[in-house]
Amino acid sequence: MQWGQIKTLFIISFLILNLFLAQQFLEKIGDTNLEMLAQTSFEDQLVADEIEIGELPERGKREVYISAERYEFEEEEFANIADSANNQTMILLNEDTILSEFDEPFEFNGNHDELLEQIHRGSEYEFWGEYDERLILYFQEQNDRTVFFNTSGLVAVTLNEDGEAVNYAQRILSDTAVQSEEQTVLDPINAIEALYSSVLQRQDEVTGMNLGYHTLVEEGPQIFTPTWKITINDERNYFVNAIEGQLIPNDEENFVQAISYFIDYQVQEFMRSESE
């Protein structure tokens, strides 16, 4: 083949490559413009509905799926924990649940850190809420983030009519493992958009937003997905899957009632067995 023909082939090849790259570049610009247009349009809707969002967390956070299992205590291990507990009587239910009653009601006074100091591995838990059933819930942290509404990683404290802590139930998540490569999570504004059509109301205000974990798979080693917790008007909490973008259903009232009934039943059973 002559040099002139080779030269022509190279020129044609480079032209085709340049056309392909230009097309890819234009498509990327188009996608970016569409995304910016959609975001601007949504923000205009928020303004029209007088919904305030304030300062949002930064974009581009990278997170992973994790797994964990409900911890089961060995008999000797639990005996040592029970012996070292201050002014408490502990029993172990089904190898994975500590039920503890304070020998004398513990004066609470709203100091959650002080109360958690009375609890085995209490520093791993974060305050979640206090309820009319005189129940306080603390959720365990995994991978430096709170695991929301998981019965395998919580402390539930019962208060008496004077606001003193009288007993608590505890379960522990352990054997945490990373289950995926890091992924960029949903932008905060897009997580809020996932709430827009179903739960946001006119003149609502987004008063808090942070990342935690929510249960994705419950059987065997549990799998947890990165999750945006979005607080509205300092009173309503919603959860959005930070990877896939959908709203996560959550029935807080039934969850709290189930925990409260569980503790009441176990305490009554314990008192009955002690009296026999």
Side-chain angles (χ1 to χ4, degrees):
M1 183 179 293
Q2 296 181 356
W3 169 246
Q5 293 175 313
I6 294 174
K7 184 177 179 182
T8 301
L9 284 175
F10 272 117
I11 292 172
I12 293 172
S13 298
F14 279 119
L15 284 173
I16 293 173
L17 177 62
N18 286 336
L19 286 172
F20 174 76
L21 293 175
Q23 181 183 8
Q24 294 292 104
F25 179 68
L26 291 173
E27 287 178 357
K28 187 172 183 179
I29 290 177
D31 291 341
T32 302
N33 287 339
L34 286 174
E35 183 180 343
M36 291 178 63
L37 181 63
Q39 182 170 319
T40 302
S41 176
F42 174 59
E43 290 177 351
D44 289 342
Q45 289 175 306
L46 294 177
V47 171
D49 289 335
E50 300 180 51
I51 295 173
E52 298 183 19
I53 59 175
E55 185 176 351
L56 298 179
E58 64 182 40
R59 302 173 57 188
K61 290 180 178 290
R62 296 180 63 80
E63 298 288 337
V64 295
Y65 290 93
I66 64 169
S67 66
E69 298 188 57
R70 187 184 295 182
Y71 188 77
E72 294 187 356
F73 295 88
E74 299 291 339
E75 289 186 12
E76 184 177 349
E77 173 196 16
F78 176 74
N80 291 333
I81 294 170
D83 288 342
S84 63
N86 294 324
N87 305 314
Q88 300 175 41
T89 300
M90 283 186 177
I91 61 172
L92 184 63
L93 305 173
N94 304 320
E95 300 181 331
D96 59 18
T97 305
I98 292 175
L99 181 65
S100 186
E101 184 151 4
F102 291 104
D103 297 339
E104 296 291 337
F106 180 82
E107 192 171 348
F108 172 48
N109 293 331
N111 189 326
H112 296 287
D113 290 337
E114 189 176 85
L115 180 53
L116 286 170
E117 285 177 0
Q118 310 303 312
I119 294 168
H120 176 60
R121 293 171 61 172
S123 61
E124 298 178 18
Y125 295 80
E126 287 288 327
F127 170 69
W128 174 259
E130 187 171 343
Y131 300 90
D132 292 339
E133 294 85 350
R134 297 199 300 273
L135 186 76
I136 302 175
L137 286 185
Y138 300 91
F139 292 156
Q140 193 178 0
E141 291 187 331
Q142 295 288 298
N143 203 31
D144 295 324
R145 301 211 179 273
T146 303
V147 178
F148 305 118
F149 292 97
N150 184 282
T151 58
S152 296
L154 60 76
V155 168
V157 180
T158 304
L159 305 179
N160 62 19
E161 293 180 355
D162 296 323
E164 300 166 316
V166 291
N167 59 54
Y168 65 86
Q170 178 183 18
R171 286 177 179 160
I172 300 172
L173 284 165
S174 65
D175 297 328
T176 306
V178 173
Q179 293 294 323
S180 71
E181 298 293 329
E182 283 191 343
Q183 301 179 55
T184 302
V185 301
L186 191 71
D187 282 348
I189 190 67
N190 297 124
I192 294 171
E193 189 172 6
L195 305 181
Y196 181 71
S197 61
S198 56
V199 299
L200 284 182
Q201 303 169 14
R202 185 175 179 81
Q203 295 184 331
D204 270 344
E205 180 182 0
V206 178
T207 52
M209 191 169 183
N210 62 278
L211 279 167
Y213 284 106
H214 213 287
T215 309
L216 184 66
V217 177
E218 295 185 8
E219 299 299 326
Q222 299 185 55
I223 308 297
F224 303 103
T225 182
T227 298
W228 283 112
K229 178 178 78 76
I230 304 172
T231 304
I232 307 298
N233 303 333
D234 286 324
E235 58 184 20
R236 301 176 355 238
N237 293 305
Y238 299 98
F239 304 91
V240 175
N241 186 313
I243 301 297
E244 299 178 4
Q246 76 270 26
L247 179 65
I248 299 174
N250 185 67
D251 192 336
E252 183 169 1
E253 183 177 353
N254 282 343
F255 184 92
V256 172
Q257 286 182 352
I259 296 298
S260 182
Y261 292 156
F262 171 80
I263 295 176
D264 287 345
Y265 173 78
Q266 295 297 341
V267 169
Q268 290 172 13
E269 286 293 296
F270 174 69
M271 292 176 65
R272 183 181 61 80
S273 64
E274 287 291 296
S275 63
E276 291 178 352

